[in-house]
Every structure is written in structure tokens, then in C-alpha cells.
Amino acid sequence: MKLLRYGPKGQEKPGMLDAAGTIRDLSGVIPDVNGDALAPGVLAKLAKIDPATLPAVTGSPRIGSCVTGMKNLICIGLNYADHAAETGAAVPKEPIVFIKSLGALNGPYDDIIIPKNSVKTDWECELCVVIGTTARYVTEDAAMDHVAGYAVGNDVSEREWQAERGPTWDKGKGFETFGPLGPWMVTKDEVPDPQDLKMWADVDGVRQQDGSTKTMIFNVKQLVSYVSQCITLFPGDVIFTGTPPGVGLGKKPTPWFLKAGQEVKVGIAGLGEQVTRTVAYKG
């Protein structure tokens, strides 16, 4: 089952994508795709609905972030050994956990705003894990019981603010529009092995990242369990699980970064693809 949100910013409605790729309106069933809608009982109810019985959404509406109302956007740094190597960093012994501002949340086709005076805005294709039930001190064996589904994410990063403006990464990750999420959340029953998913990122039609979740250092169940030891995960929360090699920071011999007017496309097999444009900040 693929759940999404469509409509103008701040006025999104819940939807379901049917097998033919048509958006079906779920607003008569649930108020939004949020933590309440991701409870196991609600998802089971939605799964029993014949999409053909729901109103078809006509036209080409804007698609918003596939989940809303979360309390936490959690990110994991350097979770692919080959990405750590390209950036010159050591492979971490434990997951590197940081927070992405909720204000960064963005639709999968919305513009990415290059921050004022930024010269090091970068892309990161990531598998996102969507939490369905509260996870607090959970074991690895129980971790997947708390997962509702998965989505494509782009952990857009301003590298100067991340690495050159003090010791915390959060500053470089939380700019407005730096968290495109979606186009939809795919429930976990349709993703039998989250550790075997192809993932990619193109900039202006040229492949930059070509990886797989197979090469994660810490897998999904390890991450959910680990994060739950220090941050309580609530329904609707999202974990960005790290990125494979191919980001601008790692380009040899000279790193290069995004500028206004470029197209960034990131995707994961079975989860969909985002297409965004970069625009200059206008303040």
C-alpha cells in the first residue's frame, strides 16, 4: 500500500496510490497521513479498502511530504562505509545520530532553496524509515514491529554549516526545504527486505549516486533499536538512514555543489522517485 498527501502547502489531503498510478482520495477515511493513521489497526483497515471505491483525484495536484505531524526527523551520518571513505571519515563504531529540523520537511517535487550565501549545498539520497508505534528502549528483535513503512528522502546538506561552522551537524541539515520526503510511504509488507534496495541520485540527468542499502553499516532494525535507546520514537517519526557514495563533497579531485537552476532526482527501487529544482533564496 502506498500512502501520500496531495494538495497545496498546508492544505494537503490524504491519498492512496492505486495499482494504475491513480491517486485515490482518503479524506473520507482518515484526516491525514500522520502518526494516528500509521497505527497497525488503522493500516490494516486501509489495506482492506478496494481503491476503486475511493474517489479518483483528477489533474496533477502537488504532492506533499508523504507523512506529517511527526515529533522527530532523525538522521544517521556516515552509515555507508564507502561514503565514509569518500569523505575521508573513519567508519563509525556506533551510529552517528543527529536531528533534522521539522521546518526542513518538503514535498518530493517542491523546489529546494539554496540558502543565502551558500556555496556548498549537497544532495544525499536516503532510505527513510517511518515509525508506526512508539519505540522506547526496543531490542533489535522487536524493532521491526515499530516500523510502518519506508519512503525516499533527500538529506540535503549545506557542508560549510555542517562541518566548518562548529562541531554540530544539525545546522547544515535544517535549512528550509532541506528534507524532501516521498512521493509516498510504502507499507513494510510491500518491502520484504529493506537491506536490498537499489538507490540513486542524478543531477541534471547525470548519475551521481548509484548504491544499495546492502552496504549499510547499521541496518534498519539496528538503527530503530539504537535510536530508541536515546530518543523516544513516536508514530509518524522518520529516520533518514544515511547515504551511499557519490555526494558532491566526495567528488575527486575537486568537490562540487549545487547551484540554483539545477534538477536533482533521487529514487529507491520500489519506493518511487523525487524530482526537485534548486532555486536561489529570495529574501
Side-chain angles (χ1 to χ4, degrees):
M1 184 167 54
K2 296 179 175 66
L3 301 178
L4 55 88
R5 302 172 63 250
Y6 68 95
K9 278 190 176 183
Q11 303 175 45
E12 294 92 343
K13 296 181 178 181
M16 176 188 295
L17 195 73
D18 69 18
T22 299
I23 298 173
R24 299 286 179 163
D25 182 17
L26 272 175
S27 58
V29 184
I30 55 174
D32 210 337
V33 183
N34 54 21
D36 291 340
L38 299 177
V42 178
L43 290 180
K45 175 183 174 182
L46 296 178
K48 293 178 181 179
I49 297 175
D50 179 357
T53 65
L54 298 170
V57 177
T58 58
S60 301
R62 170 187 172 270
I63 305 298
S65 63
C66 58
V67 181
T68 191
M70 65 283 292
K71 294 184 178 181
N72 296 296
L73 286 177
I74 306 295
C75 294
I76 307 299
L78 300 176
N79 195 32
Y80 289 70
D82 36 10
H83 171 56
E86 76 171 347
T87 61
V91 173
K93 295 180 180 179
E94 293 189 39
I96 297 173
V97 179
F98 58 95
I99 302 292
K100 198 172 188 75
S101 167
L102 295 178
L105 197 65
N106 207 27
Y109 310 118
D110 292 344
D111 291 340
I112 294 172
I113 300 171
I114 303 292
K116 183 179 180 179
N117 300 322
S118 168
V119 293
K120 293 185 178 181
T121 296
D122 208 346
W123 61 90
E124 291 190 5
C125 176
E126 305 208 6
L127 172 68
C128 289
V129 178
V130 182
I131 300 300
T133 60
T134 300
R136 184 185 293 111
Y137 302 118
V138 301
T139 65
E140 290 183 18
D141 288 342
M144 300 305 290
D145 295 339
H146 298 272
V147 173
Y150 305 94
V152 179
N154 185 356
D155 179 21
V156 186
S157 307
E158 211 296 330
R159 303 300 190 184
E160 181 182 19
W161 277 95
Q162 177 186 354
E164 302 170 33
R165 303 289 294 268
T168 59
W169 287 12
D170 307 60
K171 300 190 301 295
K173 303 285 190 168
F175 287 94
E176 185 180 2
T177 73
F178 269 28
L181 182 67
W184 34 76
M185 186 202 81
V186 181
T187 49
K188 66 180 177 182
D189 58 294
E190 293 192 7
V191 185
D193 186 0
Q195 305 308 146
D196 189 16
L197 301 174
K198 284 185 169 294
M199 51 200 309
W200 60 88
D202 298 344
V203 178
D204 291 336
V206 178
R207 180 75 24 115
Q208 303 297 336
Q209 290 184 279
D210 188 4
S212 169
T213 57
K214 285 182 178 180
T215 63
M216 277 186 181
I217 298 168
F218 305 103
N219 63 30
V220 169
K221 68 178 183 180
Q222 290 173 317
L223 292 176
V224 172
S225 174
Y226 185 90
V227 173
S228 78
Q229 309 305 310
C230 56
I231 298 173
T232 299
L233 295 168
F234 296 96
D237 284 358
V238 175
I239 302 175
F240 285 70
T241 61
T243 197
V247 300
L249 179 65
K251 296 300 181 185
K252 301 294 190 295
T254 304
W256 61 271
F257 302 96
L258 297 170
K259 58 184 184 296
Q262 294 188 283
E263 180 186 83
V264 181
K265 184 182 295 185
V266 301
I268 299 177
L271 303 184
E273 192 170 62
Q274 303 178 358
V275 183
T276 56
R277 297 287 299 180
T278 55
V279 298
Y281 170 76
K282 297 179 181 179

